[in-house]
């Protein structure tokens, strides 16, 4: 799929050559490229500004029949994301032109060339499984042209970049899948099938064993659905490792709100509520493919939150796996319930060095940070800072949120150990994070609320509308830096 070439660009046998262009600096010293850019810049409509595009057909000096110039703006301001975006756009144009392949001029620093590869692979994904008419086919080959002295280094980077992009696309497809095709049993099977091909141990825990393990909060949330809850555990255990990491992902395959039924547009895209589980499952599969050097355990509570005669009710008191009792103030705050049990189970069974949960947990987090930032909640400022830094690198951006102890009062219950929703609606994302913290014991922990960035109703340069796969690139980068 992704190849590196050093052959003469002028002779490149392709229908589509893409050249990133800086507004105020030369990214490449290659004479063929310099000449082509000079030609492009002679048109007043193209100056190499961010977002500028110019297509030339059959230009002199190259055998490619189309050359697309894509502006990345001023050198000072250009960052890897500028190149990811440029590459994604170029791939879209190539697909529109009914091409099967594209060649990129891989110019600029290492991080820029890696970003071109990533943007191209991610931009080559379409979610069209449910369409009868699939005229627009993704490209079958993406080639990046680099200077001969850098060939080896870039070739070595290809498998990792391919793996992480495949993982992201896998997560996107799961999130975009309709909720009737990913009810807990189906989603569990789909995860088991995907993970089965890799060096992973998978346990699909059914309702009987969920009961045996006293995961009553998970059972309570699942009670209203005709499809029983599941818990999938994926264990990646390399021969040699010294750290054990647990990743817990919220897997609500559809969140109707339960008896506190969501209304209006609130319910519309709630198939996305398993995006945490999708990101974690895809991260484990990717970690195995990349042979990451830590033991990683993925714990995925899967459930459908539905109203019915058997659904859990506001007012119910549930005894969680930890023994703590929770008064249900709102059945729509179901994510923290299933995570409470899954986190407790993860700590009890695996005693990890660090535990991270990923969840589309609160509308409040989306309200606070919009749809491009995830909220990171941790008592460990260093862990939060590392995640924020991985977010900057991958452009899966995170913002560290506060965990004020005195907000815990919001969760006080008169008749149980804790309520599942704060008494005030303010600070809802913090209240949810503090709720989770009650089940973590003394393990090093971070919670990532991805309610904002998990799903997008608009496409961007390298992601179609629907699931974004947010979390996979972030977690893989963080794991790689441990
Ligand atoms: N799944 C939702 C959160 C959500 C909202 C995810 C928007 C993605 C986009 C969650 O289960 C939920 O319903 N949370 C409630 C909590 C409230 C009842 C305290 C919310 O955010 O309104
Ligand atoms: Zn909910
Ligand atoms: Zn939810």
């Amino acid at each position: 799929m992704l190849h590196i070439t050093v052959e003469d660009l002028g002779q490149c046998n392709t229908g589509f050559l893409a050249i990133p262009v800086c507004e105020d600096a030369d990214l490449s010293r290659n004479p063929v490229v310099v000449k082509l850019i000079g030609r492009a810049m002679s048109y007043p409509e193209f100056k190499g500004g961010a977002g500028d595009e110019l297509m030339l057909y059959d230009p002199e000096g190259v055998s490619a029949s189309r050359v697309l110039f894509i502006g990345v703006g001023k050198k000072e301001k250009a960052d890897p994301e500028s190149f990811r975006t440029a590459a994604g756009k170029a791939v879209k144009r190539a697909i529109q032109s009914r091409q099967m392949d594209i060649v990129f001029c891989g110019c600029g620093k290492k991080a820029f060339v890696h970003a071109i590869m990533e943007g191209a692979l991610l931009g080559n994904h379409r979610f069209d499984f449910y369409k009868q008419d699939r005229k627009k086919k993704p490209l079958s080959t993406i080639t990046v042209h680099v200077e001969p002295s850098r060939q080896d280094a870039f070739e070595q980077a290809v498998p990792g970049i391919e793996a992480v992009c495949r993982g992201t696309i896998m997560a996107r497809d799961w999130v975009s899948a309709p909720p009737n095709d990913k009810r807990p049993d189906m989603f569990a099977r789909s995860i088991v099938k995907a993970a089965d091909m890799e060096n992973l141990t998978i346990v699909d825990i059914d309702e009987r064993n969920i009961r045996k393990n006293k995961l009553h909060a998970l059972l309570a949330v699942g009670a209203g659905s005709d499809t029983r809850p599941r818990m999938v555990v994926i264990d990646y255990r390399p021969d040699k490792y010294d750290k054990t990491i647990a990743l817990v992902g919220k897997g609500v395959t559809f969140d109707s709100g339960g008896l506190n039924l969501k209304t209006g547009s609130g319910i519309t895209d709630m198939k996305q509520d398993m995006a945490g589980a999708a990101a974690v499952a895809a991260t484990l599969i990717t970690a195995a493919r990349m042979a990451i050097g830590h033991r990683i355990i993925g714990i995925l509570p899967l459930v459908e939150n539905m109203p019915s005669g058997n659904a859990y009710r506001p007012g119910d008191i549930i005894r969680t796996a930890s023994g703590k009792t929770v008064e249900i103030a709102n059945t729509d705050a179901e994510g923290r319930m299933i995570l409470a049990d899954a986190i407790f189970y993860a700590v009890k069974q695996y005693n990890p060095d660090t535990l991270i949960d990923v969840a589309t947990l609160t509308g409040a987090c989306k309200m606070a940070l919009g749809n491009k930032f995830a909220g990171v909640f941790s008592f460990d400022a260093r862990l939060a800072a590392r995640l924020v830094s991985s977010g900057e690198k991958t452009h899966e951006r995170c913002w560290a949120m506060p965990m004020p102890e005195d907000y815990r009062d919001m969760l006080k219950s008169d008749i149980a150990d804790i309520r599942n929703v704060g008494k005030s609606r303010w600070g809802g994302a913090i209240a949810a994070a503090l709720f989770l913290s009650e089940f973590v014991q003394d393990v090093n922990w971070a919670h990532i609320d991805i309610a904002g960035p998990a799903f997008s109703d608009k496409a961007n340069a390298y992601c179609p509308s629907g699931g974004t796969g947010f979390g996979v690139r972030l977690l893989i980068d963080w794991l790689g830096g441990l």
Side-chain angles (χ1 to χ4, degrees):
M1 163 96 279
L2 183 60
H3 304 281
I4 301 293
T5 184
V6 294
E7 81 173 298
D8 179 2
L9 256 188
Q11 306 297 314
C12 250
N13 180 24
T14 178
F16 206 107
L17 176 62
I19 304 181
V21 182
C22 225
E23 195 174 321
D24 54 356
D26 288 333
L27 284 166
S28 168
R29 285 189 302 267
N30 183 313
V32 177
V33 178
V34 172
K35 200 164 155 223
L36 281 168
I37 292 179
R39 174 89 198 282
M41 292 284 209
S42 73
Y43 291 86
E45 64 264 45
F46 185 80
K47 285 287 155 275
D52 282 4
E53 283 181 30
L54 179 83
M55 180 89 94
L56 294 182
Y57 295 91
D58 298 314
E60 236 173 71
V62 280
S63 48
S65 48
R66 292 173 198 75
V67 180
L68 179 69
F69 301 87
I70 342 148
V72 293
K74 289 207 161 65
K75 190 177 175 208
E76 273 280 283
K77 277 206 177 152
D79 61 7
E81 182 63 8
S82 320
F83 287 80
R84 247 178 241 119
T85 301
K89 282 186 182 165
V91 165
K92 271 195 185 169
R93 292 283 298 259
I95 293 173
Q96 258 157 22
S97 305
R98 305 284 191 269
Q99 298 300 296
M100 292 308 289
D101 79 296
I102 189 168
V103 176
F104 280 94
C105 169
C107 41
K109 46 184 177 189
K110 183 172 112 184
F112 292 172
V113 181
H114 285 182
I116 290 176
M117 299 183 196
E118 238 176 56
L121 286 171
L122 292 172
N124 197 29
H125 164 239
R126 306 172 56 80
F127 183 73
D128 57 5
F129 180 76
Y130 290 87
K131 286 226 181 260
Q132 281 196 309
D133 171 13
R134 281 184 234 165
K135 268 199 212 104
K136 286 188 188 158
K137 297 258 180 320
L139 308 177
S140 51
T141 313
I142 292 166
T143 306
V144 181
H145 179 275
V146 301
E147 286 167 21
S149 63
R150 306 169 84 191
Q151 180 177 15
D152 287 352
F154 284 128
E155 266 168 1
Q156 275 163 26
V158 165
I161 292 172
E162 274 186 331
V164 88
C165 293
R166 266 176 83 193
T168 302
I169 288 168
M170 179 181 286
R172 284 180 183 175
D173 282 345
W174 271 325
V175 176
S176 296
N180 55 329
D181 273 356
K182 59 175 177 196
R183 299 183 80 187
D185 54 341
M186 300 167 170
F187 186 30
R189 272 198 301 274
S190 177
I191 294 169
V192 169
K193 193 170 157 217
D196 239 357
M197 289 180 258
E198 312 301 329
N199 179 24
L200 296 161
T201 312
I202 311 148
V203 189
D204 181 358
I205 305 175
D206 62 9
E207 193 188 16
R208 212 169 52 104
N209 284 303
I210 292 175
R211 205 172 292 282
K212 248 194 192 160
N213 280 291
K214 301 198 170 78
L215 307 178
H216 294 132
L218 178 58
L219 289 170
V221 174
S225 167
D226 288 344
T227 308
R228 312 317 304 144
R230 309 290 270 230
M231 195 152 84
V232 175
V233 178
I234 313 175
D235 190 349
Y236 167 63
R237 193 176 187 158
D239 293 339
K240 271 206 320 238
Y241 64 90
D242 52 23
K243 285 202 180 76
T244 299
I245 309 297
L247 302 177
V248 180
K250 172 177 172 183
V252 177
T253 63
F254 184 72
D255 181 12
S256 71
L259 288 174
N260 291 103
L261 194 63
K262 287 181 183 290
T263 51
S265 61
I267 203 168
T268 308
D269 290 324
M270 277 305 137
K271 65 173 185 181
Q272 68 175 282
D273 215 19
M274 36 57 77
V280 168
T283 297
L284 267 117
I285 292 168
T286 306
R289 287 178 181 156
M290 294 175 73
I292 282 183
H294 308 292
R295 183 176 182 196
I296 312 168
I297 296 133
I299 290 153
L300 314 169
L302 310 180
V303 71
E304 194 179 36
N305 187 22
M306 298 293 265
S308 88
N310 200 39
Y312 78 137
R313 290 154 288 258
D316 281 359
I317 295 181
I318 310 296
R319 189 175 299 277
T320 61
S322 71
K324 275 191 188 160
T325 55
V326 181
E327 179 189 357
I328 304 303
N330 191 317
T331 59
D332 197 9
E334 83 299 337
R336 62 197 78 181
M337 296 300 292
I338 69 169
L339 290 175
D341 272 357
I343 289 172
F344 182 82
Y345 179 87
V347 173
K348 190 178 89 182
Q349 297 286 329
Y350 300 100
N351 186 30
D353 296 295
T354 300
L355 184 150
I356 295 188
D357 76 79
V358 187
T360 46
L361 203 62
T362 65
C365 198
K366 188 170 181 176
M367 192 66 98
L369 298 175
N371 63 0
K372 293 193 171 134
F373 272 81
V376 173
F377 301 80
S378 181
F379 295 117
D380 178 349
R382 224 179 70 128
L383 174 58
R386 291 222 159 158
L387 288 164
V388 168
S389 147
S390 288
E392 280 165 10
K393 242 171 94 189
T394 55
H395 207 69
E396 293 197 331
R397 289 170 290 175
C398 297
W399 194 257
M401 303 286 272
M403 291 282 266
E405 274 306 325
D406 52 340
Y407 279 31
R408 241 183 244 285
D409 286 354
M410 289 201 279
L411 298 168
K412 275 197 178 143
S413 163
D414 293 336
I415 52 172
D417 295 329
I418 189 172
R419 284 159 58 96
N420 76 332
V421 163
K423 286 198 179 101
S424 140
R425 70 191 186 92
W426 307 117
I430 299 173
L434 287 169
F435 178 93
L436 295 181
S437 75
E438 296 279 336
F439 301 89
V440 176
Q441 294 147 278
D442 48 11
V443 167
N444 185 241
W445 161 74
H447 155 59
I448 310 180
D449 192 331
I450 60 167
F455 192 87
S456 173
D457 42 26
K458 260 193 3 242
N460 74 18
Y462 56 88
C463 186
S465 62
T468 60
F470 187 101
V472 179
R473 291 189 301 120
L474 174 77
L475 289 171
I476 290 291
D477 186 79
W478 173 77
L479 288 162
L482 280 181

